């Protein structure tokens, strides 16, 4: 991301790119979440019972979370990077520890503020029953109505305000995901690209670099990604399909260690990577498109600036 543009421009282009990418890949995102939470018997059953529009449950909330989270992340990243490169060339490369630390801190900052929207999105994505039988649970923790407000009331009644940051402990580890992705993207630029393309990759090069970098990062951190989804979809007074019936302790569904141990005991190492293929495919689309759109927007901003300067010099 070694752009010389101001932090606000980088944040705006990054958030728009992320929002476009997430919107395009949203049905796959929803399917991935339901696979991870073991709430998808088949795509066909979901379509048959609820129609194609069910693949866009929670899209509005997710779009808002993506715009806000990405803007905060790119702004914090570019701001911190500008501090580290002060007095140096604007395109100076950071060391590996600096690159990872900058991305990590930016990730924690952005996720701390947008975790509530992420939790609401995940529960909107998984609230529909697709196994052919209606859910008759009348527990106070499960809303009989659906939608954004119903999910908010359900979370608040079950766990209070703290429920909107459920699973936040995983943030301190999963914030490494964007940090590793950006670091690997930088490695891609240094090793693969040459000349002007290294300083300003084309949209196509940005797509490939972003997709490869994200795939590697997701594979490394996937058990934590799965754990986060399971924690955020768990409802305190209902039996969760992703949790072993023998697990009585709240630790089984509310901590990283408890969730991972439950999954491992139920299905071994393979259970810790359930849905990895869908997650990687989603990541290829979202991260690749996000990087591509971001680079294109920044190119347009630079071109507009150069045209404006040329007009001033001729006037």
């Amino acid at each position: 991301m070694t752009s010389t543009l101001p932090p606000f421009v980088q944040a705006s282009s990054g958030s728009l790119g992320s929002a476009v990418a997430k919107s395009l890949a949203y049905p796959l995102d929803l399917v991935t979440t339901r696979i991870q939470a073991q709430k998808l018997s088949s795509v066909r059953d979901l379509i048959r019972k609820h129609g194609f529009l069910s693949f866009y449950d929670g899209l509005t909330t997710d779009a808002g979370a993506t715009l806000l989270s990405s803007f905060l992340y790119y702004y914090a990243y570019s701001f911190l990077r500008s501090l580290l490169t002060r007095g140096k060339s604007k395109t100076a490369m950071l060391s590996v520890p600096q690159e990872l630390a900058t991305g990590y801190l930016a990730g924690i900052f952005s996720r701390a503020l947008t975790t509530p929207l992420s939790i609401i999105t995940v529960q909107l994505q998984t609230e529909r029953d697709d196994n052919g039988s209606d859910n008759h649970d009348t527990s106070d923790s499960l809303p009989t109505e659906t939608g954004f407000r119903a999910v908010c009331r359900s979370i608040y009644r079950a766990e209070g305000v703290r429920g909107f940051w459920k699973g936040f402990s995983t943030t301190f580890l999963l914030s490494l995901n964007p940090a590793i992705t950006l670091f690997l993207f930088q490695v891609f630029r240094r090793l693969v690209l040459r000349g002007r393309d290294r300083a300003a990759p084309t949209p196509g090069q940005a797509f490939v670099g972003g997709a490869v970098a994200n795939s590697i990062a997701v594979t490394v951190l996937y058990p934590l990604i799965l754990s986060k989804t399971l924690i955020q979809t768990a409802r305190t007074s209902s039996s969760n399909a992703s949790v072993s019936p023998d697990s009585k302790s709240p630790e089984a569904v509310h901590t990283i260690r408890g969730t991972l141990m439950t999954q491992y005991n139920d299905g071994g190492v393979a259970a810790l990577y359930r849905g990895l293929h869908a997650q990687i495919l989603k990541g290829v689309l979202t991260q690749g498109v996000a990087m591509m759109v971001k680079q294109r927007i920044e190119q347009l901003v630079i071109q507009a600036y150069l045209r404006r300067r040329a007009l001033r010099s001729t006037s």
Side-chain angles (χ1 to χ4, degrees):
M1 236 185 61
T2 55
S3 172
T4 59
L5 294 174
F8 180 81
V9 176
Q10 294 190 55
S12 298
S13 61
S15 61
L16 287 174
S18 297
V20 170
K22 284 294 291 289
S23 297
L24 291 175
Y26 191 77
L28 181 58
D29 185 32
L30 182 140
V31 169
T32 301
T33 300
R34 293 181 70 88
I35 290 174
Q36 292 171 341
Q38 292 184 330
K39 293 190 176 184
L40 182 73
S41 56
S42 74
V43 172
R44 183 180 301 174
D45 288 343
L46 188 61
I47 295 174
R48 177 178 55 81
K49 188 171 184 183
H50 299 293
F52 284 101
L53 289 180
S54 63
F55 287 96
Y56 292 91
D57 287 343
L59 174 59
T60 302
T61 306
D62 185 65
T66 299
L67 279 170
L68 180 59
S69 178
S70 298
F71 183 89
L72 293 174
Y73 177 81
Y74 282 110
Y75 190 92
Y77 177 90
S78 57
F79 176 76
L80 291 173
R81 195 178 190 288
S82 67
L83 293 180
L84 292 173
T85 57
R86 181 173 295 176
K88 303 178 183 178
S89 169
K90 291 185 177 181
T91 58
M93 297 290 186
L94 298 180
S95 66
V96 172
Q98 288 176 328
E99 192 74 61
L100 291 176
T102 301
Y104 180 70
L105 292 175
I108 290 179
F109 172 70
S110 64
R111 291 181 186 228
L113 298 179
T114 58
T115 290
L117 287 176
S118 297
I119 290 178
I120 293 169
T121 298
V122 168
Q123 295 213 8
L124 286 170
Q125 290 177 332
T126 59
E127 67 178 350
R128 291 188 191 267
D129 181 20
D130 71 311
N131 62 10
S133 61
D134 294 330
N135 189 346
H136 296 292
D137 189 348
T138 58
S139 171
D140 288 340
S141 67
L142 287 175
T144 55
E145 56 180 318
T146 61
F148 181 88
R149 292 183 180 179
V151 168
C152 290
R153 286 195 294 268
S154 172
I155 294 172
Y156 183 77
R157 283 199 299 264
E159 300 174 85
V161 175
R162 291 175 57 186
F164 291 95
W165 276 268
K166 183 167 60 177
F168 184 69
S169 59
T170 60
T171 294
F172 290 97
L173 296 174
L174 285 179
S175 291
L176 285 171
N177 191 352
I180 293 174
T181 298
L182 278 178
F183 168 69
L184 292 174
F185 183 67
Q186 300 287 45
V187 171
F188 169 82
R189 292 172 63 173
R190 297 181 194 183
L191 297 181
V192 178
L193 304 183
R194 296 290 183 270
R196 295 177 58 185
D197 288 342
R198 177 178 292 181
T202 66
Q205 292 168 339
F207 179 94
V208 173
V212 172
N214 183 258
S215 297
I216 296 173
V218 164
T219 301
V220 172
L221 298 173
Y222 188 74
L224 295 175
I225 296 173
L226 177 65
S227 173
K228 175 187 174 184
T229 299
L230 294 175
I231 290 172
Q232 292 184 343
T233 56
R235 293 175 170 88
T236 48
S237 61
S238 64
S239 59
N240 192 301
S242 62
V243 180
S244 171
D246 297 328
S247 299
K248 304 297 183 183
S249 172
E251 181 182 332
V253 293
H254 291 300
T255 68
I256 300 173
R257 181 177 179 276
T259 302
L260 293 179
M261 287 300 297
T262 298
Q263 295 303 305
Y264 180 79
N265 291 335
D266 287 347
V269 175
L272 299 179
Y273 290 88
R274 182 179 65 248
L276 175 61
H277 60 290
Q279 184 78 28
I280 289 178
L281 179 58
K282 181 188 76 172
V284 166
L285 292 175
T286 56
Q287 192 65 38
V289 171
M291 287 290 190
M292 181 175 66
V293 173
K294 180 180 183 300
Q295 289 297 131
R296 184 54 181 161
I297 291 175
E298 291 186 0
Q299 286 178 356
L300 292 174
V301 170
I302 293 173
Q303 290 171 5
Y305 170 76
L306 292 175
R307 283 197 297 268
R308 183 178 179 182
R309 191 172 67 174
L311 288 174
R312 283 183 176 179
S313 62
T314 57
S315 61

